[in-house]
Amino acid sequence: MTSTGGSHDRLPAALRTEALEQLLTERGLIDPDVLDGIIATYETHVGPLNGAKVVARAWTDPRYRQRLLRDGTAAIAELGFSGRQGEHIVVVENTPTVHNVVVCTLCSCYPWPVLGLPPSWYKDPAYRARMVREPRRVLSEMGLELADDVRITVRDSTSEVRWLVLPERPAGTEHLPEEELVPLVTRDAMVGVAKVAAP
Ligand code: FE
C-alpha cells in the first residue's frame, strides 16, 4: 500500500496502529476485547449523543439553528462540545428536497466531538469510493430509499472540514420537547445514511 501524501497521509499511521495492536495482543499486554469495548462506547454512547443534543436544540430553537448553520464549530462549542477532530465543523441541513450525506473519500475524517469515533463501514474502502459515484444506490442498500426528485449532495470530509448533517425533524414530533427529541436522533442520520424516524 502506498501513501496518498498531503494532509491525508494517515494510511501508514492506521497500519502502524494495527500492527502495534496485534503485537501487544500477541504478547498479552492488551486485551483486544477491552479495546473494542472502549471504541464501542465512543461510537455508540459518548459521541453520537453529543450530536443528538445539537440536533434537538436546532430543531427547537430557530436562532440556535441559524447560528449552527452559519458557524457549526462555534454553535456546537456553545453546548460544550469541542476538541480534537472538531476544529472546523460545517453543518448542512437535510430537507424534503435536498439530502446531504457525508463520506471521507481518502481516509476516515469525522467530527469526533459530536459523533465519537467513526463506525467501521465509514472507513470501508467500498463505502468511500461508491458513495461518491452512486450515492442513491449505496443509500438504498443501506436502507434509505430517496425519491428521484430529491437532490443528493455528497460531502467529502477532510482534515480541514468535517461535515455534520442536521437531519429533518420527523413529522408528528411537533409537540415533543427538546429532551424527548434527543434519543430519536441517530448517528446514521447525522452522517446522512438514514433519516430520523418518529417515535
Ligand atoms: Fe479523511
Side-chain angles (χ1 to χ4, degrees), residues 4-18:
T4 52
S7 60
H8 272 90
D9 194 7
R10 296 201 180 152
L11 284 176
L15 285 174
R16 274 199 297 275
T17 306
E18 222 167 280

PDB file of all heavy atoms in Angstrom, residues 4-18:
ATOM      1  N   THR A   4      -0.889   8.345   0.228  1.00  0.00           N
ATOM      2  CA  THR A   4      -1.510   9.311  -0.663  1.00  0.00           C
ATOM      3  C   THR A   4      -0.925  10.704  -0.462  1.00  0.00           C
ATOM      4  O   THR A   4      -1.204  11.596  -1.234  1.00  0.00           O
ATOM      5  CB  THR A   4      -3.029   9.389  -0.408  1.00  0.00           C
ATOM      6  OG1 THR A   4      -3.239   9.601   0.989  1.00  0.00           O
ATOM      7  CG2 THR A   4      -3.707   8.129  -0.848  1.00  0.00           C
ATOM      8  N   GLY A   5      -0.159  10.877   0.589  1.00  0.00           N
ATOM      9  CA  GLY A   5       0.538  12.142   0.807  1.00  0.00           C
ATOM     10  C   GLY A   5      -0.363  13.237   1.320  1.00  0.00           C
ATOM     11  O   GLY A   5      -1.542  13.045   1.572  1.00  0.00           O
ATOM     12  N   GLY A   6       0.192  14.409   1.488  1.00  0.00           N
ATOM     13  CA  GLY A   6      -0.566  15.587   1.891  1.00  0.00           C
ATOM     14  C   GLY A   6      -1.201  15.456   3.260  1.00  0.00           C
ATOM     15  O   GLY A   6      -0.719  14.712   4.107  1.00  0.00           O
ATOM     16  N   SER A   7      -2.312  16.183   3.460  1.00  0.00           N
ATOM     17  CA  SER A   7      -2.947  16.216   4.772  1.00  0.00           C
ATOM     18  C   SER A   7      -3.690  14.917   5.064  1.00  0.00           C
ATOM     19  O   SER A   7      -4.180  14.706   6.146  1.00  0.00           O
ATOM     20  CB  SER A   7      -3.907  17.389   4.846  1.00  0.00           C
ATOM     21  OG  SER A   7      -4.903  17.243   3.856  1.00  0.00           O
ATOM     22  N   HIS A   8      -3.800  14.057   4.060  1.00  0.00           N
ATOM     23  CA  HIS A   8      -4.494  12.796   4.292  1.00  0.00           C
ATOM     24  C   HIS A   8      -3.534  11.635   4.472  1.00  0.00           C
ATOM     25  O   HIS A   8      -3.886  10.487   4.286  1.00  0.00           O
ATOM     26  CB  HIS A   8      -5.454  12.508   3.132  1.00  0.00           C
ATOM     27  CG  HIS A   8      -6.783  13.119   3.343  1.00  0.00           C
ATOM     28  ND1 HIS A   8      -7.094  14.378   2.928  1.00  0.00           N
ATOM     29  CD2 HIS A   8      -7.877  12.663   3.994  1.00  0.00           C
ATOM     30  CE1 HIS A   8      -8.334  14.652   3.283  1.00  0.00           C
ATOM     31  NE2 HIS A   8      -8.833  13.639   3.932  1.00  0.00           N
ATOM     32  N   ASP A   9      -2.333  11.953   4.847  1.00  0.00           N
ATOM     33  CA  ASP A   9      -1.305  10.930   4.961  1.00  0.00           C
ATOM     34  C   ASP A   9      -1.496  10.125   6.240  1.00  0.00           C
ATOM     35  O   ASP A   9      -0.720  10.208   7.163  1.00  0.00           O
ATOM     36  CB  ASP A   9       0.068  11.595   4.953  1.00  0.00           C
ATOM     37  CG  ASP A   9       1.169  10.580   4.727  1.00  0.00           C
ATOM     38  OD1 ASP A   9       0.847   9.406   4.451  1.00  0.00           O
ATOM     39  OD2 ASP A   9       2.322  10.953   4.849  1.00  0.00           O
ATOM     40  N   ARG A  10      -2.597   9.325   6.263  1.00  0.00           N
ATOM     41  CA  ARG A  10      -2.933   8.620   7.505  1.00  0.00           C
ATOM     42  C   ARG A  10      -2.891   7.120   7.366  1.00  0.00           C
ATOM     43  O   ARG A  10      -2.984   6.426   8.344  1.00  0.00           O
ATOM     44  CB  ARG A  10      -4.329   9.023   7.954  1.00  0.00           C
ATOM     45  CG  ARG A  10      -4.345  10.485   8.279  1.00  0.00           C
ATOM     46  CD  ARG A  10      -5.455  10.832   9.160  1.00  0.00           C
ATOM     47  NE  ARG A  10      -5.376  12.254   9.400  1.00  0.00           N
ATOM     48  CZ  ARG A  10      -6.395  13.022   9.677  1.00  0.00           C
ATOM     49  NH1 ARG A  10      -7.549  12.473   9.804  1.00  0.00           N
ATOM     50  NH2 ARG A  10      -6.242  14.298   9.870  1.00  0.00           N
ATOM     51  N   LEU A  11      -2.810   6.626   6.137  1.00  0.00           N
ATOM     52  CA  LEU A  11      -2.814   5.176   5.984  1.00  0.00           C
ATOM     53  C   LEU A  11      -1.651   4.519   6.708  1.00  0.00           C
ATOM     54  O   LEU A  11      -1.851   3.533   7.404  1.00  0.00           O
ATOM     55  CB  LEU A  11      -2.819   4.802   4.495  1.00  0.00           C
ATOM     56  CG  LEU A  11      -4.191   4.975   3.819  1.00  0.00           C
ATOM     57  CD1 LEU A  11      -4.091   4.686   2.345  1.00  0.00           C
ATOM     58  CD2 LEU A  11      -5.220   4.071   4.464  1.00  0.00           C
ATOM     59  N   PRO A  12      -0.454   5.049   6.583  1.00  0.00           N
ATOM     60  CA  PRO A  12       0.640   4.427   7.314  1.00  0.00           C
ATOM     61  C   PRO A  12       0.386   4.410   8.818  1.00  0.00           C
ATOM     62  O   PRO A  12       0.670   3.413   9.494  1.00  0.00           O
ATOM     63  CB  PRO A  12       1.851   5.313   6.970  1.00  0.00           C
ATOM     64  CG  PRO A  12       1.480   5.956   5.670  1.00  0.00           C
ATOM     65  CD  PRO A  12      -0.002   6.159   5.748  1.00  0.00           C
ATOM     66  N   ALA A  13      -0.191   5.474   9.345  1.00  0.00           N
ATOM     67  CA  ALA A  13      -0.486   5.529  10.774  1.00  0.00           C
ATOM     68  C   ALA A  13      -1.496   4.452  11.151  1.00  0.00           C
ATOM     69  O   ALA A  13      -1.356   3.774  12.166  1.00  0.00           O
ATOM     70  CB  ALA A  13      -1.008   6.916  11.154  1.00  0.00           C
ATOM     71  N   ALA A  14      -2.509   4.276  10.295  1.00  0.00           N
ATOM     72  CA  ALA A  14      -3.518   3.259  10.572  1.00  0.00           C
ATOM     73  C   ALA A  14      -2.901   1.862  10.564  1.00  0.00           C
ATOM     74  O   ALA A  14      -3.203   1.020  11.410  1.00  0.00           O
ATOM     75  CB  ALA A  14      -4.649   3.353   9.547  1.00  0.00           C
ATOM     76  N   LEU A  15      -2.028   1.637   9.603  1.00  0.00           N
ATOM     77  CA  LEU A  15      -1.369   0.328   9.518  1.00  0.00           C
ATOM     78  C   LEU A  15      -0.458   0.094  10.720  1.00  0.00           C
ATOM     79  O   LEU A  15      -0.410  -1.001  11.274  1.00  0.00           O
ATOM     80  CB  LEU A  15      -0.556   0.235   8.221  1.00  0.00           C
ATOM     81  CG  LEU A  15      -1.383   0.039   6.950  1.00  0.00           C
ATOM     82  CD1 LEU A  15      -0.486   0.112   5.729  1.00  0.00           C
ATOM     83  CD2 LEU A  15      -2.123  -1.293   7.001  1.00  0.00           C
ATOM     84  N   ARG A  16       0.275   1.137  11.090  1.00  0.00           N
ATOM     85  CA  ARG A  16       1.153   1.025  12.259  1.00  0.00           C
ATOM     86  C   ARG A  16       0.346   0.721  13.509  1.00  0.00           C
ATOM     87  O   ARG A  16       0.731  -0.108  14.334  1.00  0.00           O
ATOM     88  CB  ARG A  16       1.946   2.331  12.459  1.00  0.00           C
ATOM     89  CG  ARG A  16       3.235   2.393  11.633  1.00  0.00           C
ATOM     90  CD  ARG A  16       4.174   3.438  12.213  1.00  0.00           C
ATOM     91  NE  ARG A  16       3.605   4.774  12.145  1.00  0.00           N
ATOM     92  CZ  ARG A  16       3.688   5.546  11.073  1.00  0.00           C
ATOM     93  NH1 ARG A  16       4.310   5.124   9.993  1.00  0.00           N
ATOM     94  NH2 ARG A  16       3.153   6.744  11.077  1.00  0.00           N
ATOM     95  N   THR A  17      -0.819   1.397  13.636  1.00  0.00           N
ATOM     96  CA  THR A  17      -1.664   1.166  14.805  1.00  0.00           C
ATOM     97  C   THR A  17      -2.122  -0.282  14.850  1.00  0.00           C
ATOM     98  O   THR A  17      -2.104  -0.936  15.890  1.00  0.00           O
ATOM     99  CB  THR A  17      -2.893   2.100  14.753  1.00  0.00           C
ATOM    100  OG1 THR A  17      -2.433   3.436  14.610  1.00  0.00           O
ATOM    101  CG2 THR A  17      -3.717   1.990  16.016  1.00  0.00           C
ATOM    102  N   GLU A  18      -2.533  -0.795  13.697  1.00  0.00           N
ATOM    103  CA  GLU A  18      -2.998  -2.171  13.616  1.00  0.00           C
ATOM    104  C   GLU A  18      -1.876  -3.154  13.989  1.00  0.00           C
ATOM    105  O   GLU A  18      -2.089  -4.102  14.738  1.00  0.00           O
ATOM    106  CB  GLU A  18      -3.474  -2.463  12.192  1.00  0.00           C
ATOM    107  CG  GLU A  18      -4.741  -3.265  12.130  1.00  0.00           C
ATOM    108  CD  GLU A  18      -5.307  -3.243  10.724  1.00  0.00           C
ATOM    109  OE1 GLU A  18      -5.962  -2.247  10.353  1.00  0.00           O
ATOM    110  OE2 GLU A  18      -5.066  -4.210  10.007  1.00  0.00           O
TER     111      GLU A  18
END
